[in-house]
Amino acid sequence: MEYTPLGRTGIRVSRLCLGTMMFGAWGNTDHDACVRMVHRALDAGINFVDTADVYAFGESERILAKALKGRRDDVVLATKFGEAMDPDAPLRRGASRRWIMRAVEDSLRRLETDHLDLYQLHRPDPTTDMDETLGALTDLVRQGKVRAIGSSALPADAIVEARWTAERHGHQPFATEQLAYSAFARHAEHAALPTCGRHGLGVLVFSPLNGGWLTGKYRNGAAVSPDSRAVRNAEHFDHADTTIRAAKTALVEEFAVIADEAGCSLPELALAFVLAHPQVASAILGPRTPDQLESQLDACEVELSREALARLDALVAPGTDVNPADCPYPRPAPRT
């Protein structure tokens, strides 16, 4: 396993991060199996684990607590706040000081730890002033409950605004940005990744396999498993739109040829692609099963040639998305 600095935090993390969104009711309900996956990842050299309070509404964090007993000091533990923890409770969400102070205590209790190595704003909250959010997070850092703070899915202009707000008001700045990035969804190259580079943010990549498309399980003529996301959540993962599905399926075949010639699997190709970007510190794996985890653990050993990267660029141009809906925020208009 390779390790790299997480932005300017001084923390060194594995290039692969174990994501736990699929632990619990949203994916794998077998807690013991999830614990074994965490142990397998740690034994393989992964020292970075990412979760969120909203993942199965706290169940993922509770599973992690079981898995990290006796190993907490060897792990960079990250969680997130901000998404609605109860659709009928308007106060249990967002980025206000009121909710942050409650949410962090809830996560610490579920994770059975006295501190978080990275605490992240899960999604932008347009109803809350950034000064309010950063002020509360800064207090958590000063109290020792949080070591570093980060954001997720912020557009480039919001990353800059957050940096300006921190400097102007003497707050702790966001040290990391977690963003969606894959060989099928490259909008982050347009502005977010360069902005993170200019400001020294450590970048975590979520959905590097584009919701399962780059695992290789969705191929021409291949039967789709009834428990896959293509069936469980077809609209969200591009299987309800026949045009997008056809485009991605055709590209998977092209990518598979490049992977074969590079001597790696399709998931390894996809992970190696995002890790090749100079701003990316770590790519988040999101396995539901042990087999899915095993298929991705060797990705750090794959180094793509310039020729292979150029062929991928020819199939999906830099800064573009196969499905425009993969971009979570409006792209800035070209300058005139």
Side-chain angles (χ1 to χ4, degrees):
M1 185 61 62
E2 297 177 4
Y3 302 88
T4 192
L6 182 60
R8 295 173 181 166
T9 64
I11 303 170
R12 294 187 67 83
V13 296
S14 49
R15 301 294 318 274
L16 298 178
C17 172
L18 179 64
T20 65
M21 188 175 74
M22 291 289 104
F23 288 7
W26 291 10
N28 191 333
T29 58
D30 185 338
H31 286 204
D32 291 339
C34 294
V35 168
R36 288 192 294 271
M37 279 193 279
V38 175
H39 292 170
R40 174 68 182 107
L42 300 185
D43 291 343
I46 289 177
N47 75 344
F48 196 10
V49 182
D50 178 74
T51 186
D53 55 5
V54 77
Y55 293 166
F57 302 106
E59 187 181 2
S60 171
E61 290 184 327
R62 287 190 288 270
I63 292 170
L64 263 184
K66 298 177 188 177
L68 295 180
K69 286 188 183 299
R71 306 185 74 167
R72 172 65 183 91
D73 290 343
D74 299 322
V75 172
V76 177
L77 180 58
T79 192
K80 299 183 285 292
F81 71 92
E83 293 282 72
M85 290 296 286
D86 182 340
D88 298 320
L91 295 178
R92 300 192 65 203
R93 68 187 72 184
S96 68
R97 172 178 288 272
R98 184 185 190 280
W99 175 240
I100 288 171
M101 294 306 182
R102 165 70 186 275
V104 73
E105 296 297 341
D106 289 348
S107 285
L108 289 171
R109 184 181 64 256
R110 286 188 293 262
L111 288 163
E112 298 180 26
T113 186
D114 63 357
H115 73 280
L116 302 168
D117 296 300
L118 179 62
Y119 198 39
Q120 303 157 98
L121 171 63
H122 205 156
R123 289 293 184 271
D125 179 4
T127 69
T128 304
D129 192 271
M130 186 58 73
D131 179 44
E132 163 100 353
T133 301
L134 289 174
L137 293 172
T138 297
D139 286 346
L140 294 180
V141 172
R142 291 172 178 165
Q143 293 167 11
K145 294 179 180 180
V146 171
R147 301 296 187 252
I149 60 173
S151 56
S152 178
L154 287 189
D157 62 327
I159 293 171
V160 174
E161 181 185 354
R163 196 78 181 180
W164 178 87
T165 301
E167 291 178 359
R168 183 177 179 85
H169 296 279
H171 296 321
Q172 189 84 6
F174 287 135
T176 65
E177 164 66 8
Q178 186 174 144
L179 49 77
Y181 181 41
S182 74
F184 275 10
R186 302 181 61 170
H187 55 267
E189 295 170 339
H190 183 77
L193 280 167
T195 300
C196 289
R198 286 194 298 273
H199 293 283
L201 274 67
V203 173
L204 293 68
V205 170
F206 71 86
S207 200
L209 302 181
N210 196 231
W213 276 103
L214 291 166
T215 63
K217 61 185 176 183
Y218 306 128
R219 304 285 294 271
N220 283 327
V224 177
S225 172
D227 67 347
S228 72
R229 284 181 281 187
V231 175
R232 291 185 289 117
N233 199 351
E235 183 140 349
H236 183 70
F237 293 103
D238 299 335
H239 294 271
D241 186 317
T242 56
T243 301
I244 296 296
R245 186 175 71 237
K248 288 192 173 183
T249 302
L251 283 168
V252 166
E253 299 302 324
E254 299 274 6
F255 276 47
V257 172
I258 297 173
D260 287 342
E261 293 177 2
C264 64
S265 67
L266 189 55
E268 289 170 344
L269 176 85
L271 289 163
F273 169 82
V274 300
L275 290 173
H277 195 286
Q279 303 307 329
V280 172
S282 191
I284 299 174
L285 313 180
R288 181 174 55 85
T289 67
D291 286 345
Q292 290 175 356
L293 175 62
E294 290 294 336
S295 72
Q296 300 169 38
L297 285 175
D298 292 332
C300 281
E301 299 179 10
V302 177
E303 185 172 349
L304 297 178
S305 67
R306 290 185 178 181
E307 178 189 3
L309 290 169
R311 290 170 67 187
L312 294 175
D313 286 349
L315 291 169
V316 182
T320 68
D321 299 323
V322 179
N323 182 359
D326 280 338
C327 183
Y329 40 77
R331 286 182 52 170
R335 293 180 180 177
T336 57

